CSV table of all heavy atoms in Angstrom, one decimal:
chain,number,residue,atom,x,y,z
A,8,THR,N,33.4,-1.5,23.7
A,8,THR,CA,33.2,-2.3,24.9
A,8,THR,C,33.3,-1.5,26.1
A,8,THR,O,34.3,-0.8,26.4
A,8,THR,CB,34.2,-3.5,24.9
A,8,THR,OG1,34.2,-4.2,23.7
A,8,THR,CG2,33.9,-4.4,26.0
A,9,LEU,N,32.2,-1.6,26.9
A,9,LEU,CA,32.2,-0.9,28.2
A,9,LEU,C,32.4,-2.0,29.3
A,9,LEU,O,31.7,-3.0,29.3
A,9,LEU,CB,30.8,-0.2,28.4
A,9,LEU,CG,30.4,0.9,27.4
A,9,LEU,CD1,29.0,1.4,27.7
A,9,LEU,CD2,31.5,2.0,27.5
A,10,VAL,N,33.3,-1.7,30.2
A,10,VAL,CA,33.6,-2.6,31.3
A,10,VAL,C,33.4,-1.9,32.6
A,10,VAL,O,33.6,-0.6,32.7
A,10,VAL,CB,35.0,-3.2,31.1
A,10,VAL,CG1,35.1,-3.9,29.8
A,10,VAL,CG2,36.1,-2.1,31.3
A,11,PRO,N,33.2,-2.6,33.7
A,11,PRO,CA,33.2,-2.0,35.0
A,11,PRO,C,34.5,-1.3,35.4
A,11,PRO,O,35.5,-1.8,35.3
A,11,PRO,CB,32.9,-3.2,36.0
A,11,PRO,CG,32.4,-4.2,35.1
A,11,PRO,CD,33.0,-4.1,33.7
A,12,PHE,N,34.3,0.0,35.7
A,12,PHE,CA,35.5,0.8,35.9
A,12,PHE,C,36.3,0.3,37.1
A,12,PHE,O,37.5,0.3,37.1
A,12,PHE,CB,35.0,2.3,36.2
A,12,PHE,CG,36.1,3.3,36.3
A,12,PHE,CD1,37.0,3.5,35.2
A,12,PHE,CD2,36.3,4.0,37.4
A,12,PHE,CE1,38.1,4.4,35.3
A,12,PHE,CE2,37.4,4.9,37.5
A,12,PHE,CZ,38.2,5.1,36.4
A,13,ARG,N,35.6,-0.2,38.1
A,13,ARG,CA,36.3,-0.6,39.3
A,13,ARG,C,37.3,-1.8,39.0
A,13,ARG,O,38.4,-1.9,39.5
A,13,ARG,CB,35.3,-1.1,40.4
A,13,ARG,CG,36.0,-1.5,41.7
A,13,ARG,CD,34.9,-1.9,42.7
A,13,ARG,NE,34.1,-0.7,43.1
A,13,ARG,CZ,34.5,0.2,44.0
A,13,ARG,NH1,35.6,0.1,44.6
A,13,ARG,NH2,33.7,1.2,44.3
A,14,ALA,N,36.8,-2.7,38.0
A,14,ALA,CA,37.6,-3.8,37.7
A,14,ALA,C,39.0,-3.5,37.1
A,14,ALA,O,40.0,-4.0,37.4
A,14,ALA,CB,36.9,-4.7,36.7
A,15,ILE,N,39.0,-2.4,36.3
A,15,ILE,CA,40.3,-1.9,35.7
A,15,ILE,C,41.1,-1.2,36.8
A,15,ILE,O,42.3,-1.4,36.9
A,15,ILE,CB,40.0,-1.0,34.5
A,15,ILE,CG1,39.2,-1.7,33.5
A,15,ILE,CG2,41.3,-0.5,34.0
A,15,ILE,CD1,38.9,-0.8,32.3
A,16,SER,N,40.5,-0.2,37.5
A,16,SER,CA,41.2,0.6,38.4
A,16,SER,C,41.9,-0.2,39.5
A,16,SER,O,43.0,0.1,39.9
A,16,SER,CB,40.3,1.7,39.0
A,16,SER,OG,39.2,1.1,39.6
A,17,GLU,N,41.1,-1.2,40.0
A,17,GLU,CA,41.7,-1.9,41.2
A,17,GLU,C,42.9,-2.8,40.7
A,17,GLU,O,43.9,-3.0,41.3
A,17,GLU,CB,40.6,-2.8,41.8
A,17,GLU,CG,39.7,-2.0,42.6
A,17,GLU,CD,38.6,-2.8,43.3
A,17,GLU,OE1,38.5,-4.0,43.0
A,17,GLU,OE2,37.9,-2.3,44.2
A,18,ALA,N,42.7,-3.5,39.5
A,18,ALA,CA,43.7,-4.4,39.0
A,18,ALA,C,44.9,-3.6,38.6
A,18,ALA,O,46.1,-4.1,38.7
A,18,ALA,CB,43.1,-5.1,37.7
A,19,LEU,N,44.8,-2.4,38.1
A,19,LEU,CA,46.0,-1.5,37.8
A,19,LEU,C,46.5,-0.7,38.9
A,19,LEU,O,47.4,0.1,38.8
A,19,LEU,CB,45.6,-0.6,36.6
A,19,LEU,CG,45.3,-1.4,35.3
A,19,LEU,CD1,44.9,-0.4,34.2
A,19,LEU,CD2,46.4,-2.3,34.8
A,20,GLN,N,45.8,-0.9,40.1
A,20,GLN,CA,46.3,-0.2,41.3
A,20,GLN,C,46.2,1.3,41.1
A,20,GLN,O,47.2,2.0,41.4
A,20,GLN,CB,47.6,-0.7,41.8
A,20,GLN,CG,47.6,-2.2,42.2
A,20,GLN,CD,49.0,-2.6,42.7
A,20,GLN,OE1,50.0,-2.0,42.5
A,20,GLN,NE2,49.0,-3.8,43.3
A,21,ALA,N,45.1,1.8,40.6
A,21,ALA,CA,45.0,3.2,40.3
A,21,ALA,C,44.2,3.9,41.4
A,21,ALA,O,43.3,3.2,42.1
A,21,ALA,CB,44.3,3.5,39.0
A,22,GLU,N,44.3,5.2,41.6
A,22,GLU,CA,43.6,6.0,42.6
A,22,GLU,C,42.3,6.5,41.9
A,22,GLU,O,42.3,7.1,40.8
A,22,GLU,CB,44.4,7.1,43.1
A,22,GLU,CG,43.7,8.0,44.1
A,22,GLU,CD,44.5,9.2,44.6
A,22,GLU,OE1,45.7,9.2,44.3
A,22,GLU,OE2,43.9,10.1,45.2
A,23,VAL,N,41.1,6.3,42.6
A,23,VAL,CA,39.9,6.7,41.9
A,23,VAL,C,39.1,7.6,42.9
A,23,VAL,O,39.0,7.4,44.1
A,23,VAL,CB,39.0,5.4,41.7
A,23,VAL,CG1,37.6,5.8,41.1
A,23,VAL,CG2,39.7,4.4,40.8
A,24,VAL,N,38.5,8.6,42.3
A,24,VAL,CA,37.7,9.6,43.0
A,24,VAL,C,36.4,9.8,42.3
A,24,VAL,O,36.4,10.0,41.0
A,24,VAL,CB,38.4,11.0,43.1
A,24,VAL,CG1,37.5,12.0,43.8
A,24,VAL,CG2,39.7,10.8,43.8
A,25,TRP,N,35.3,9.6,43.0
A,25,TRP,CA,33.9,9.8,42.4
A,25,TRP,C,33.4,11.2,42.9
A,25,TRP,O,33.4,11.5,44.1
A,25,TRP,CB,33.0,8.7,42.9
A,25,TRP,CG,31.5,9.0,42.6
A,25,TRP,CD1,30.6,9.3,43.6
A,25,TRP,CD2,30.9,8.9,41.4
A,25,TRP,NE1,29.4,9.5,42.9
A,25,TRP,CE2,29.5,9.2,41.6
A,25,TRP,CE3,31.3,8.6,40.1
A,25,TRP,CZ2,28.6,9.3,40.6
A,25,TRP,CZ3,30.3,8.7,39.1
A,25,TRP,CH2,29.0,9.0,39.3
A,26,ASN,N,32.9,12.0,42.0
A,26,ASN,CA,32.3,13.3,42.3
A,26,ASN,C,30.8,13.2,42.0
A,26,ASN,O,30.4,13.2,40.9
A,26,ASN,CB,32.9,14.4,41.4
A,26,ASN,CG,32.5,15.8,41.8
A,26,ASN,OD1,31.3,16.0,42.0
A,26,ASN,ND2,33.5,16.7,41.9
A,27,GLN,N,30.1,13.1,43.1
A,27,GLN,CA,28.6,13.0,43.0
A,27,GLN,C,27.9,14.2,42.3
A,27,GLN,O,27.0,14.0,41.5
A,27,GLN,CB,28.0,12.8,44.4
A,27,GLN,CG,26.5,12.6,44.4
A,27,GLN,CD,26.1,11.3,43.7
A,27,GLN,OE1,26.7,10.3,43.8
A,27,GLN,NE2,25.0,11.4,42.9
A,28,LYS,N,28.4,15.4,42.6
A,28,LYS,CA,27.8,16.6,42.1
A,28,LYS,C,28.0,16.7,40.5
A,28,LYS,O,27.1,16.9,39.8
A,28,LYS,CB,28.4,17.8,42.7
A,28,LYS,CG,27.8,19.1,42.3
A,28,LYS,CD,28.4,20.3,43.0
A,28,LYS,CE,27.7,21.6,42.5
A,28,LYS,NZ,28.3,22.8,43.2
A,29,GLU,N,29.2,16.3,40.1
A,29,GLU,CA,29.5,16.3,38.6
A,29,GLU,C,29.1,15.0,37.9
A,29,GLU,O,29.0,15.0,36.7
A,29,GLU,CB,31.0,16.5,38.4
A,29,GLU,CG,31.5,17.9,38.7
A,29,GLU,CD,33.0,18.0,38.3
A,29,GLU,OE1,33.6,16.9,38.1
A,29,GLU,OE2,33.5,19.1,38.2
A,30,ARG,N,28.8,14.0,38.8
A,30,ARG,CA,28.6,12.7,38.3
A,30,ARG,C,29.8,12.2,37.4
A,30,ARG,O,29.6,11.8,36.3
A,30,ARG,CB,27.3,12.5,37.5
A,30,ARG,CG,26.1,12.8,38.3
A,30,ARG,CD,24.8,12.5,37.6
A,30,ARG,NE,24.5,11.1,37.5
A,30,ARG,CZ,24.2,10.5,36.3
A,30,ARG,NH1,24.3,11.2,35.2
A,30,ARG,NH2,24.0,9.2,36.3
A,31,SER,N,31.0,12.5,38.0
A,31,SER,CA,32.2,12.2,37.2
A,31,SER,C,33.1,11.2,38.0
A,31,SER,O,33.0,11.1,39.2
A,31,SER,CB,33.0,13.5,36.9
A,31,SER,OG,33.5,14.0,38.1
A,32,VAL,N,33.9,10.5,37.3
A,32,VAL,CA,34.9,9.6,37.9
A,32,VAL,C,36.3,9.9,37.4
A,32,VAL,O,36.5,10.1,36.2
A,32,VAL,CB,34.5,8.1,37.7
A,32,VAL,CG1,34.6,7.8,36.2
A,32,VAL,CG2,35.5,7.2,38.4
A,33,THR,N,37.2,10.1,38.3
A,33,THR,CA,38.6,10.4,38.0
A,33,THR,C,39.5,9.4,38.5
A,33,THR,O,39.5,9.0,39.6
A,33,THR,CB,38.9,11.8,38.6
A,33,THR,OG1,38.0,12.8,38.2
A,33,THR,CG2,40.4,12.2,38.2
A,34,VAL,N,40.4,8.9,37.6
A,34,VAL,CA,41.4,7.9,38.0
A,34,VAL,C,42.8,8.5,37.7
A,34,VAL,O,43.0,9.1,36.7
A,34,VAL,CB,41.2,6.6,37.2
A,34,VAL,CG1,41.2,6.8,35.7
A,34,VAL,CG2,42.2,5.5,37.6
């Protein structure tokens, strides 16, 4: 099951960084 990453990170109060060059997301 794939879910919107923002929904999890915001609800769990996690810090999120998006790297456009790598096309990666780090929480």
Side-chain angles (χ1 to χ4, degrees):
T8 304
L9 298 175
V10 300
F12 188 60
R13 183 178 296 276
I15 300 178
S16 58
E17 288 183 351
L19 296 179
Q20 298 181 345
E22 179 184 347
V23 181
V24 175
W25 167 256
N26 187 313
Q27 180 63 40
K28 185 177 179 180
E29 289 184 344
R30 296 185 78 231
S31 68
V32 60
T33 302
V34 57

